[in-house]
Amino acid sequence: MAGSCRQLSIVVATLKDKVYLDGGHLYWVPGMADGSNRLPVDDGNPLGLIGVLNFSTPFNTSTNASTLFTSISKAPNGGAANNFAPNYYGGTLLANDDEFYLFGGATVAQTNFSPPDGDELLGYMESQYGDNGRAFHAGFLNVKLPDGVTRYVTYGGGVNVPSENKAWYFGGLRTESWGQIYSNYDNATYTPTNVSNSFVKLDMATQQQEVWSNVTLRGPPSRAGPSVVWVPVGEQGILVVLGGVTYPSFASSTGDSANPAQNRRDSPGFMSNIDIYDIAGDTWYQQPTVGSPPQYALGCAVVAHASDFSSFNIYYYGGYDAISEDSDMNDDVWILSLPSFMWMKVTSGAPDHGRAGHQCVMPYPDQMIIIGGRPSGNPNLCLEGDPPEFLQVYNLTAGRWQDSYDPESWNEYGVPEMIHMMIGGDFSGSATMTTPTPSGWQTPGLASVFATPYATTKLTTYYPYSTVGAANGTRGELDNDGGGGGTPSWLGPVLGVVLGLVFITAVVVAVLLYRRRKLLTKKTESEHSTDENGNRIASWLQSQNLDGKTITTTDDNRTQLDDTESRGYTPMRSPGHPEMRQYEPSEMLGTPLVELMDTSLTPELADSRINTGPAYPYDMKQSPFASAPHTPHSIFTPTSQSFFPGGAISQDHASSIHSSNNNGPAASSLSQIDERPDSPSLGNGDHHHFNNIASITNPTAADDHDRGGSGAHLQQHQTGDSPAVSPPLPVSPPSVTVDGEAADYVSIHRQGSNPLRRSVFRESENDLGDDEKEKDQR
């Protein structure tokens, strides 16, 4: 199949978020293998399929309608419907939000089986409601009508009131014998030529215990092809009947009205004088209108109310005069506004775009979907469009047609400008014309009904609908231009969630920042405490009675680095790693350190374990003053700077780094150390601070010294570019390199081959041998 072409005399019912579509003359365009299409074909729906359109399904004017509908079968086990559920024309689906019943309509005459009897019909339960104590099973069921109610009626007007769990079928046509009705049949016995004065009511208050009743219309004239809508006014609402005709052409086998003159006399009044049924009072009223359209039948109508319920606007679209099947179809949209009872045409169309025999549903408060119908003229024509526009969408607020339907795009209803300029108020309501003008109320009883507000708490809505695969919820409050927008209903909850998350995040960040600040404070206090401990040790050493000179020797030419030494605290000594040990003299801030002139051999080491024999090297592992990372004599300077507030440098051991052009074991050990993030190596900063230090021990090592470490805490202060002058060396003489080996002070002294060393230090005579004394005297 290429798609739906047209469908005349269909019936629909809206159950929550679905539209069920049944009956009528459904024409399809068969698609051929070569891509061509045949003429439209009415197959009679032999499988008894009911179409289902979900309001969650988006579509546009180019969508093939056959792809939008799913279906359920009325036939047992999905086979042929035959006489169990034949296709009906001109009936209705009486429904609430959970179930519907196929009522009325004509069938096609068959020779091989007989249609159901007049008291038999089919119902469908989609979902359960109430508590009736009975088992519930979704699906179709057979229903037996009570006496006085027959399904042998067609072309009446059906209306459903879900909030009251009631439905009605108004007027229509019947055969002269009140018997079986066949569509387009030549035999007058089965042709619906007589007006039905029946008013059938279905009460669905209790599921599976529905109550059917029928009363004879007293007051309003019956007719064929009317539209009936429910308006929320009064205790239980009112029914408003619009349009319809007598002696319609669509009920004639010839395609022409059996009495066109009478048709023209009777039918215009069905638009100008509106029949109203008060449900609670079980009373009919009639009220004249102003500015009514011409007679129409087989159109469709929906109701939209202002947000403050000050006006109720009934939209009527399509239909035709039903005098001849060749008549033009209406494409105008009219509004009957209550309680002013004034008509206004809000949209003008073109006859070639009009249709009749269609149905209207409202998925949202501001939208109307047109389903099916047939166009004017040749019965072989399809609805306009390629593919045919089987579905159309009209915006009730803007008063214009839409190219598409999107379940995620909708708004609350706003009174069109043309209407609120006529009745007063604005888009949201506030109508000032609250009585029929200029005639006033026809009866006081009707005025009383309109003065009674309907309990809106009974109204249930099922929108918004989710699109395929994604939830929606985009809706806005009405703005003044009628185009939608405003504040969406979902904004409040979403904004609440977002603000809550922002608040929680702010609290978490504040806690983390507070903890980080505490950790930094504790770290600073720890470093300060470490520096104070070092100062206490230095003070203790300074307090010792140092009469002699410190002897610095070593028994290992390697420098070991524990990777914890650069952190600023003293590690546990490892007996397996001998380290250089040295005695740290005391210093005074701002006072240069010089070699103590009057030194002696052993008194200064009275309370130490160092072997004080003259000129004998000793094992540094026996010293209680083993190297600690805070002493200025360490080869590897710690990151903490608090111990040297003036930026003074221990030049003796700094010079030992650069001896022998950094080729000794100490340089080799340094080059193999991996830099740690929390303790960066001293090799990335200012190198010029060491140039003068290197020149003390090796004047040729200045270039190589640039590869040494940097540290703002190892600074040699100079002025301008003047050559460096070696300051007095502190306490222990430096270890210099002779032939690539680091020698101790005593060995160098015995050799006496280092003029630089001799020029710097002044030795005590008590420290020199006899040969040295004589040499010094000369």
Side-chain angles (χ1 to χ4, degrees):
M1 291 291 182
S4 302
C5 172
R6 65 178 187 269
Q7 190 166 9
L8 174 65
S9 301
I10 59 175
V11 292
V12 299
T14 301
L15 273 62
K16 299 177 180 175
D17 62 343
K18 300 182 185 69
V19 178
Y20 290 86
L21 180 139
D22 184 53
H25 298 277
L26 176 59
Y27 288 83
W28 298 83
V29 178
M32 309 305 292
D34 60 0
S36 62
N37 295 326
R38 294 177 54 188
L39 292 175
V41 174
D42 180 6
D43 63 3
N45 192 16
L47 299 180
L49 300 179
I50 293 179
V52 182
L53 175 66
N54 196 303
F55 285 142
S56 298
T57 307
F59 60 85
N60 54 45
T61 55
S62 62
T63 304
N64 190 328
S66 62
T67 65
L68 303 176
F69 289 88
T70 57
S71 64
I72 56 176
S73 176
K74 297 178 288 185
N77 303 317
N82 296 328
N83 63 340
F84 177 79
N87 205 47
Y88 291 100
Y89 308 90
T92 192
L93 295 180
L94 301 178
N96 58 14
D97 286 335
D98 301 280
E99 61 186 16
F100 63 78
Y101 294 85
L102 288 75
F103 182 80
T107 62
V108 174
Q110 298 284 343
T111 58
N112 52 348
F113 60 83
S114 298
D117 294 335
D119 60 353
E120 297 176 352
L121 53 79
L122 203 62
Y124 178 77
M125 295 188 299
E126 180 190 73
S127 55
Q128 186 176 17
Y129 65 94
D131 185 12
N132 57 15
R134 298 185 179 185
F136 173 81
H137 300 284
F140 287 96
L141 68 159
N142 291 314
V143 176
K144 194 78 170 179
L145 294 174
D147 294 340
V149 181
T150 178
R151 67 163 189 85
Y152 291 152
V153 61
T154 189
Y155 298 124
V159 58
N160 301 320
V161 187
S163 61
E164 298 292 331
N165 277 316
K166 294 180 174 67
W168 286 266
Y169 189 79
F170 172 85
L173 301 176
R174 62 174 178 84
T175 64
E176 187 175 354
S177 63
W178 280 95
Q180 189 69 247
I181 304 172
Y182 292 134
S183 175
N184 296 328
Y185 197 58
D186 258 348
N187 192 328
T189 304
Y190 304 102
T191 301
T193 56
N194 293 67
V195 173
S196 171
N197 291 319
S198 61
F199 187 49
V200 178
K201 174 184 175 182
L202 172 61
D203 189 338
M204 297 170 281
T206 304
Q207 192 173 36
Q208 300 187 57
Q209 298 179 29
E210 293 79 5
V211 178
W212 294 82
S213 61
N214 178 31
V215 296
T216 301
L217 286 173
R218 294 181 176 87
S222 183
R223 69 208 73 165
S227 295
V228 185
V229 295
W230 176 80
V231 179
V233 167
E235 185 179 342
Q236 297 183 36
I238 60 175
L239 305 183
V240 179
V241 184
L242 305 172
V245 296
T246 58
Y247 302 100
S249 59
F250 51 79
S252 169
S253 59
T254 64
D256 293 311
S257 172
N259 190 344
Q262 190 65 38
N263 179 316
R264 290 186 177 95
R265 281 192 295 269
D266 297 337
S267 303
F270 300 144
M271 282 292 197
S272 59
N273 293 286
I274 302 301
D275 293 299
I276 300 168
Y277 176 69
D278 175 31
I279 297 173
D282 190 23
T283 304
W284 282 96
Y285 300 96
Q286 190 176 83
Q287 179 66 41
T289 65
V290 175
S292 61
Q295 66 183 61
Y296 288 125
L298 298 183
C300 71
V302 297
V303 179
H305 60 79
S307 59
D308 62 355
F309 292 86
S310 62
S311 66
F312 306 89
N313 300 309
I314 303 173
Y315 289 72
Y316 187 92
Y317 170 70
Y320 72 124
D321 60 17
I323 294 175
S324 171
E325 293 302 286
D326 294 330
S327 299
D328 289 335
M329 304 298 171
N330 173 41
D331 193 37
D332 300 334
V333 178
W334 290 78
I335 291 179
L336 173 62
S337 184
L338 307 180
S340 66
F341 285 88
M342 300 181 71
W343 283 96
M344 173 70 72
K345 182 166 68 173
V346 292
T347 303
S348 296
D352 57 356
H353 192 69
R355 64 184 70 194
H358 53 282
Q359 295 291 342
C360 302
V361 294
M362 288 178 64
Y364 286 111
D366 67 330
Q367 297 174 46
M368 172 175 67
I369 296 180
I370 315 300
I371 304 176
R374 73 172 182 88
S376 305
N378 192 323
N380 290 325
L381 291 178
C382 292
L383 294 168
E384 186 182 20
D386 184 18
E389 296 179 10
F390 191 81
L391 300 175
Q392 288 185 311
V393 184
Y394 184 81
N395 190 287
L396 302 174
T397 300
R400 60 174 178 262
W401 296 99
Q402 298 180 182
D403 292 334
S404 62
Y405 166 74
D406 182 357
E408 293 188 343
S409 178
W410 65 284
N411 213 318
E412 292 292 354
Y413 172 72
V415 180
E417 184 177 10
M418 296 177 65
I419 300 300
H420 70 68
M421 289 181 66
M422 179 178 67
I423 65 174
D426 52 27
F427 288 95
S428 299
S430 303
T432 58
M433 191 176 293
T434 56
T435 60
T437 303
S439 63
W441 294 108
Q442 189 75 4
T443 62
L446 184 58
S448 177
V449 171
F450 271 86
T452 304
Y454 183 77
T456 56
T457 54
K458 299 180 184 179
L459 300 175
T460 303
T461 58
Y462 299 94
Y463 55 82
Y465 313 103
S466 60
T467 56
V468 177
N472 115 37
T474 56
R475 170 177 78 84
E477 297 298 333
L478 183 67
D479 59 24
N480 289 334
D481 61 5
T487 303
S489 62
W490 48 262
L491 182 60
V494 171
L495 187 60
V497 173
V498 172
L499 292 178
L501 293 176
V502 170
F503 175 76
I504 294 173
T505 303
V507 171
V508 172
V509 171
V511 171
L512 292 177
L513 291 176
Y514 175 76
R515 294 189 62 186
R516 182 175 182 272
R517 183 176 181 181
K518 289 191 66 177
L519 291 175
L520 291 176
T521 303
K522 293 175 96 177
K523 180 178 179 182
T524 303
E525 293 175 352
S526 176
E527 291 179 354
H528 180 67
S529 176
T530 302
D531 292 341
E532 287 182 349
N533 292 336
N535 288 331
R536 291 193 186 100
I537 296 172
S539 299
W540 178 80
L541 291 174
Q542 185 177 8
S543 68
Q544 302 303 307
N545 184 19
L546 301 179
D547 297 330
K549 177 178 65 177
T550 301
I551 301 176
T552 302
T553 61
T554 181
D555 61 351
D556 193 352
N557 58 5
R558 295 177 294 110
T559 300
Q560 300 293 334
L561 175 67
D562 188 343
D563 61 359
T564 61
E565 286 188 2
S566 60
R567 293 190 178 185
Y569 63 87
T570 304
M572 294 286 293
R573 288 183 297 174
S574 174
H577 297 278
E579 299 177 354
M580 178 184 292
R581 302 173 185 219
Q582 54 213 8
Y583 181 80
E584 177 182 311
S586 62
E587 300 179 2
M588 296 184 63
L589 296 179
T591 303
L593 297 179
V594 298
E595 189 70 44
L596 297 178
M597 305 308 297
D598 185 13
T599 60
S600 59
L601 290 175
T602 59
E604 68 182 42
L605 303 175
D607 59 345
S608 71
R609 293 192 302 241
I610 300 177
N611 184 355
T612 59
Y616 290 130
Y618 60 88
D619 186 357
M620 293 298 296
K621 289 182 286 185
Q622 299 178 359
S623 172
F625 309 117
S627 174
H630 286 293
T631 63
H633 302 282
S634 298
I635 293 178
F636 300 98
T637 306
T639 58
S640 175
Q641 304 180 30
S642 60
F643 198 69
F644 300 102
I649 183 173
S650 174
Q651 298 176 5
D652 54 342
H653 289 287
S655 65
S656 68
I657 300 176
H658 308 286
S659 59
S660 299
N661 296 325
N662 291 336
N663 292 327
S668 176
S669 175
L670 178 63
S671 65
Q672 296 174 359
I673 298 173
D674 293 332
E675 182 174 328
R676 298 180 54 158
D678 56 347
S679 181
S681 61
L682 304 178
N684 305 329
D686 298 330
H687 302 273
H688 67 275
H689 298 307
F690 289 98
N691 293 341
N692 295 325
I693 301 174
S695 65
I696 296 175
T697 58
N698 189 353
T700 63
D703 294 338
D704 292 338
H705 184 70
D706 286 340
R707 289 176 286 171
S710 167
H713 54 296
L714 298 177
Q715 297 180 357
Q716 175 66 36
H717 299 285
Q718 295 185 174
T719 303
D721 297 331
S722 61
V725 178
S726 301
L729 293 177
V731 190
S732 302
S735 299
V736 298
T737 302
V738 179
D739 297 330
E741 297 293 335
D744 58 46
Y745 167 72
V746 177
S747 300
I748 297 174
H749 176 73
R750 284 183 173 179
Q751 293 174 2
S753 58
N754 194 324
L756 180 62
R757 174 73 73 178
R758 292 167 65 96
S759 65
V760 171
F761 298 102
R762 178 62 177 253
E763 308 293 349
S764 174
E765 292 183 357
N766 294 330
D767 293 339
L768 302 178
D770 296 337
D771 295 339
E772 296 295 335
K773 289 181 180 180
E774 295 176 0
K775 207 181 286 187
D776 189 43
Q777 291 174 358
R778 290 195 300 267

